[in-house]
Amino acid sequence: PFRIEGQKTIVWVLFQDLQWEAPDWVVVPAGNLGNTSAFGKAIREAFAHGWVEKMPRLASIQAHGANPFFRGWQESFATRHRMTAETIASAIRIGDPVSWDKAVTAIRDTQGIVEEVTDEEIMDAKRAIDGMGIGCEPASAATLAGVRKLRAAGVMKDGERIVCVLTGN
């Protein structure tokens, strides 16, 4: 329980850095789903306490080869999926996420979305991030890969404020 409480501070610092003007989207890589759970809790609490005027949507991004949460989301979480995970993004190479139930609540409460991206999409995004002078590991690059995919599908729109969280470098 203390880990989730600590991870909430990522969102609170994010809001503070944005002068308490919440973005439209907070995008996070998803493996064990601790960050998804913590971010959802932080968003709910910040909104409930009036620290932000709107509740951003949470986008939880999984690698295609490690996508049990994405599979569940496609079925409105009717089934908890488990799998043997395989992806280049080792930090999210998890086939049976521990924080599944809390992450489901986070996605539902924020009207969020779960997406999957391929290893190729992850590495393409990593090259772009690295080219900006920000080193990140592959799981973190899943966030940008997810944004690219969601923008191409029209889910994320022009003019929306989108924050990608890079969880490791």
Side-chain angles (χ1 to χ4, degrees), residues 134-167:
I134 304 169
C136 76
E137 47 81 40
S140 290
T143 59
L144 178 59
V147 167
R148 287 174 167 177
K149 193 168 189 176
L150 292 168
R151 284 191 44 81
V155 175
M156 293 179 173
K157 312 260 189 263
D158 287 345
E160 289 185 317
R161 195 175 202 188
I162 302 166
V163 175
C164 293
V165 177
L166 305 181
T167 55

Side-chain angles (χ1 to χ4, degrees), residues 71-87:
R71 292 178 186 190
W73 180 78
Q74 287 186 304
E75 302 171 354
S76 300
F77 299 115
T79 304
R80 179 175 176 155
H81 292 266
R82 292 172 177 87
M83 65 183 297
T84 301
E86 186 52 49
T87 174

Side-chain angles (χ1 to χ4, degrees), residues 6-124:
Q7 289 169 303
K8 286 186 334 189
T9 62
I10 296 168
V11 171
W12 291 346
V13 169
L14 167 68
F15 288 164
Q16 184 178 20
D17 286 348
L18 296 175
Q19 306 298 309
W20 300 101
E21 292 183 26
D24 296 294
W25 292 91
V26 176
V27 186
V28 62
N32 224 9
L33 305 176
N35 278 328
T36 299
S37 302
F39 287 19
K41 187 173 188 208
I43 289 167
R44 284 191 308 272
E45 290 176 1
F47 182 72
H49 291 296
W51 300 346
V52 292
E53 292 182 11
K54 69 177 180 180
M55 189 178 295
R57 295 179 71 186
L58 192 57
S60 191
I61 311 299
Q62 292 204 294
H64 173 74
N67 66 355
F69 196 55
F70 173 76
R71 292 178 186 190
W73 180 78
Q74 287 186 304
E75 302 171 354
S76 300
F77 299 115
T79 304
R80 179 175 176 155
H81 292 266
R82 292 172 177 87
M83 65 183 297
T84 301
E86 186 52 49
T87 174
I88 195 165
S90 60
I92 58 174
R93 188 186 303 142
I94 297 167
D96 187 10
V98 171
S99 297
W100 179 283
D101 294 332
K102 291 177 183 175
V104 169
T105 299
I107 294 297
R108 287 180 173 157
D109 287 352
T110 64
Q111 297 179 16
I113 192 166
V114 182
E115 185 57 82
E116 67 171 354
V117 292
T118 66
D119 282 355
E120 183 179 321
E121 290 168 323
I122 288 170
M123 293 310 291
D124 185 50

